[in-house]
């Protein structure tokens, strides 16, 4: 199995630090607002990676965190009048419900910044003792970037390049613009904890290092997150952790791509954030997963208006084959080792879900042909294995007829009344064998942006 390692910029054979065991950590959500599609995608990807490693026989311990104290959470607390700790708790409960509705499993270990304060303070104290950090008279503590020779090795930036990408704050006692906060002195009205440097709270970067230390010790096998975290967050994690331990922090750094909406980076300022709750209200968990997993996890996903409707259409077509198999009395509980081997080959190549999803079109085309040919055993084995293998991606868990009915109901509700009327007129023309009129009505329907397909259960109308 090969994994693309951001640290080395190449695919590498996966060899864990301890044979047979994997310690894996992924940066979670800062709970200052609702979960959006980017949060959902990241959580989905690392859940799948965890499950595939387990399929390969590894004993996996997967940890994930919630950042439950930071500037944005404090700002939301002031806006809402809800204490920051209660606001964070409410958001965590809401996000957990939505992720479980998406059928993303919980990690083995949940970590929260506010539950790791003692570890954070101890971590910072040791960095100061080793000369890698310094306190200021105001009660802040900064990591001294110049003290760590390897700074920039993850992002590939040298110090001069990194300085250009860092906002220089008005902090008089900061020795270097690149130095980052390990501990922030408390301002009026902010939550705080007591420390040797005064009342304050942890900086963002130190939280993940301390939580990793608490969960796994000095080293882990895999550290994951979105590509936007490479610099400065993950770069800073490496610096502070390796400065403390003198050991390589994470052996493999994995980063998923970002979500774009109609070609633009998703952001609150552009007003194009897609909330997970809204997606779940519109589409099934399987449709959302199918849509997202069609792209290799390292590439950006461009969410167009057709992404989820097209995914739903494809899945509905697959479920029609499963439904027909059941109608013919085929259990679809057999085995086809070739399907599982092809899936493993895709996933062994840096978790290539895009290839695994593409293979489904061939499998269901073959299954449909077998149904027409009366090859019940072939269908049973092929579709039985597809259901077993692709369950790892969260697919084909629904009842086929219920999934199809849900799709058809949605399609009907989305079809304009005028199109529905033309479809009915076309059906009447066909009934009296007026084929010229039926063809003319089909052309009108097409001009309005819809297709009509005749099935044994009647006409199916879809948006082009």
């Amino acid at each position: 199995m090969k994994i693309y390692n951001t640290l080395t910029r190449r695919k590498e054979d996966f060899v864990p630090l301890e044979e047979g065991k994997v310690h894996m950590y992924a940066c979670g959500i800062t709970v200052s607002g609702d979960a959006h599609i980017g949060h959902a995608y990241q959580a989905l990807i690392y859940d799948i990676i965890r499950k595939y490693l387990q399929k390969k026989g590894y004993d996996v311990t997967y940890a994930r965190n919630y950042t439950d104290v930071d500037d944005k959470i404090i700002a939301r607390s002031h806006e809402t009048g809800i204490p920051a700790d209660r606001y964070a708790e409410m958001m965590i409960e809401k996000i957990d419900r939505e992720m479980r509705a998406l059928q993303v499993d919980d990690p083995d270990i949940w970590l929260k910044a506010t539950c790791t304060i003692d570890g954070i303070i101890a971590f910072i104290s040791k960095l100061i003792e080793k000369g890698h950090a310094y306190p200021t008279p105001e009660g802040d503590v900064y990591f001294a970037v110049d003290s760590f020779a390897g700074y920039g090795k993850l992002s590939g930036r040298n110090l001069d390049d990194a300085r250009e990408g860092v906002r220089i704050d008005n902090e008089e006692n900061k020795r270097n613009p690149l130095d980052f906060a390990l501990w922030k002195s408390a301002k009026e009205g902010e939550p705080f904890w007591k420390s040797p440097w005064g009342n304050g709270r942890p900086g963002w970067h130190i939280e993940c290092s301390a939580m990793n230390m608490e969960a796994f010790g000095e080293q882990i096998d895999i550290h994951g997150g979105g590509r936007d975290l490479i610099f400065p967050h993950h770069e800073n994690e490496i610096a502070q952790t390796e400065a403390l331990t003198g050991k390589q922090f994470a052996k493999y750094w994995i980063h998923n791509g970002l979500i774009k909406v109609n070609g633009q980076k998703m952001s609150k300022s552009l007003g194009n954030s897609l909330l997970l709750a809204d997606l779940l209200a519109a589409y099934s968990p399987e449709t959302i997963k199918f849509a997202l997993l069609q792209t290799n996890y390292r590439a950006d996903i461009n969410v167009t208006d057709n992404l989820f409707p097209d995914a739903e259409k494809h899945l509905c077509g697959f479920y029609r084959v499963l439904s027909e198999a059941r109608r013919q009395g085929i259990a679809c509980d057999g085995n086809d080792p070739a399907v599982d081997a092809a899936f493993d080959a895709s996933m062994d190549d840096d978790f290539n879900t895009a290839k695994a999803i593409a293979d489904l079109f061939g499998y269901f085309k073959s299954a449909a042909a077998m149904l027409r040919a009366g090859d019940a055993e072939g269908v049973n084995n092929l579709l039985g294995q597809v259901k077993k293998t692709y369950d790892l991606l969260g697919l084909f868990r629904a009842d086929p007829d219920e999934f199809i009915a849900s799709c058809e109901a949605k399609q009907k509700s989305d079809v304009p009344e005028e199109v529905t009327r033309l479809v009915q007129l076309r059906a009447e023309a066909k009934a009296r064998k007026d084929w010229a009129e039926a063809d003319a009505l089909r052309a009108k329907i097409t001009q309005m942006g819809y297709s009509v397909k005749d099935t044994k259960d009647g006409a199916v109308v879809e948006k082009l």
Side-chain angles (χ1 to χ4, degrees):
M1 182 173 69
K2 290 187 178 293
I3 296 178
Y4 183 86
N5 189 350
T6 306
L7 186 64
T8 60
R9 296 164 187 77
R10 65 174 184 267
K11 289 182 184 179
E12 298 179 348
D13 291 327
F14 180 67
V15 181
L17 294 167
E18 182 180 351
E19 186 176 356
K21 291 189 176 182
V22 176
H23 288 167
M24 173 177 160
Y25 176 89
C27 288
I29 302 173
T30 298
V31 293
S32 56
D34 288 322
H36 55 60
I37 185 176
H39 298 135
Y41 180 54
Q42 198 248 41
L44 172 63
I45 287 299
Y46 294 107
D47 182 37
I48 286 172
I49 289 174
R50 179 255 299 263
K51 288 173 179 172
Y52 186 66
L53 290 168
Q54 289 173 331
K55 183 176 190 283
K56 297 288 287 186
Y58 291 107
D59 177 9
V60 181
T61 304
Y62 170 40
R64 191 172 174 81
N65 80 297
Y66 274 126
T67 295
D68 57 345
V69 59
D70 89 327
D71 292 339
K72 292 180 181 178
I73 294 170
I74 293 168
R76 290 294 292 149
S77 169
H78 290 159
E79 289 172 18
T80 61
I82 302 170
D85 58 347
R86 178 58 191 145
Y87 179 84
E89 185 181 322
M90 289 167 51
M91 292 308 302
I92 287 172
E93 290 172 357
K94 185 174 188 292
I95 292 167
D96 280 349
R97 286 197 301 272
E98 291 171 0
M99 289 295 182
R100 289 165 188 160
L102 185 60
Q103 298 174 6
V104 171
D105 291 345
D106 288 355
D108 302 299
I109 302 173
W110 270 122
L111 298 165
K112 291 196 296 185
T114 58
C115 295
T116 321
I117 298 297
D118 289 345
I120 290 170
I121 290 172
F123 200 117
I124 296 172
S125 297
K126 291 174 185 174
L127 284 174
I128 294 173
E129 289 173 13
K130 286 175 171 279
H132 292 291
Y134 57 94
T136 71
E138 292 80 15
D140 301 308
V141 181
Y142 291 100
F143 182 86
V145 167
D146 287 338
S147 73
F148 182 69
Y151 195 80
K153 63 183 177 181
L154 182 68
S155 61
R157 303 186 186 203
N158 59 39
L159 291 184
D160 290 336
D161 291 339
R163 283 189 184 93
E164 291 180 8
V166 171
R167 178 171 61 88
I168 299 176
D169 294 321
N170 236 354
E171 293 152 343
E172 294 179 2
N173 291 299
K174 197 173 178 181
R175 298 174 185 170
N176 181 328
L178 281 177
D179 293 351
F180 54 90
L182 302 172
W183 189 260
K184 295 184 175 184
S185 56
K187 297 183 179 67
E188 185 68 30
E190 291 185 347
F192 65 84
W193 289 263
K194 294 180 179 179
S195 81
W197 320 287
N199 295 338
R201 56 189 172 84
W204 177 35
H205 311 299
I206 193 67
E207 295 172 357
C208 286
S209 288
M211 286 186 283
N212 263 292
M213 188 76 73
E214 182 173 289
F216 298 122
E218 295 180 340
Q219 294 180 288
I220 60 173
D221 296 288
I222 296 174
H223 194 311
R227 194 177 66 240
D228 56 327
L229 298 182
I230 294 174
F231 185 86
H233 184 51
H234 288 166
E235 195 74 76
N236 291 350
E237 278 192 63
I238 289 174
Q240 64 203 8
T241 304
E242 296 186 3
L244 179 67
T245 67
K247 300 176 182 178
Q248 184 179 28
F249 174 26
K251 190 172 182 182
Y252 302 91
W253 286 87
I254 300 179
H255 293 93
N256 60 276
L258 307 180
I259 301 290
K260 296 181 178 180
V261 179
N262 291 320
Q264 290 185 303
K265 182 179 177 181
M266 188 175 65
S267 70
K268 288 183 180 179
S269 62
L270 291 174
N272 63 353
S273 294
L274 298 175
L275 297 184
L276 177 55
D278 293 340
L279 276 176
L280 288 167
Y283 300 101
S284 70
E286 292 196 23
T287 298
I288 297 170
K289 291 178 181 181
F290 187 92
L292 297 177
L293 297 176
Q294 291 177 96
T295 301
N296 181 276
Y297 81 92
R298 287 194 290 118
D300 292 344
I301 296 178
N302 187 27
V303 179
T304 63
D305 294 341
N306 292 328
L307 179 66
F308 294 105
D310 284 351
E312 187 172 65
K313 185 192 304 183
H314 292 316
L315 270 178
C316 194
F318 296 158
Y319 269 112
R320 289 186 194 281
V321 179
L322 286 164
S323 177
E324 177 60 21
R326 183 162 69 180
R327 192 186 70 78
Q328 293 188 23
I330 302 171
C332 294
D333 59 1
N335 300 299
D336 185 338
V339 170
D340 206 51
F343 180 86
D344 284 1
S346 296
M347 295 295 284
D348 281 346
D349 183 15
D350 195 32
F351 312 109
N352 193 348
T353 60
K355 175 63 168 61
I357 292 288
D359 287 343
L360 286 171
F361 291 90
Y363 296 146
F364 278 93
K365 184 177 180 180
S366 295
M370 290 177 187
L371 284 168
R372 291 192 295 270
D375 183 1
E377 183 179 358
V379 171
N380 185 60
N381 291 335
L382 177 57
L383 294 186
Q385 190 66 60
V386 165
K387 288 174 64 180
K388 292 171 190 173
T389 296
Y390 282 81
D391 182 76
L392 190 145
L393 302 185
L395 301 178
F396 309 116
R397 296 176 176 178
D399 177 86
D401 294 333
E402 289 178 5
F403 191 93
I404 294 165
S406 174
C407 291
E408 291 179 346
K410 186 182 299 182
Q411 288 166 2
K412 287 178 182 177
S413 67
D414 291 341
V415 176
E417 187 175 332
E418 176 61 16
V419 173
T420 301
R421 188 182 71 82
L422 291 175
V423 170
Q424 180 60 36
L425 290 173
R426 177 176 174 272
E428 292 170 3
K430 287 185 64 182
R432 61 177 183 268
K433 298 185 178 181
D434 187 346
W435 309 119
E437 177 66 9
D439 288 344
L441 288 164
R442 179 194 283 273
K444 286 184 180 180
I445 293 167
T446 301
Q447 288 173 358
M448 295 180 71
Y450 291 83
S451 68
V452 57
K453 181 180 180 181
D454 296 313
T455 73
K456 59 182 178 60
D457 299 316
V460 175
V461 183
E462 295 178 342
K463 190 172 178 61
L464 291 171

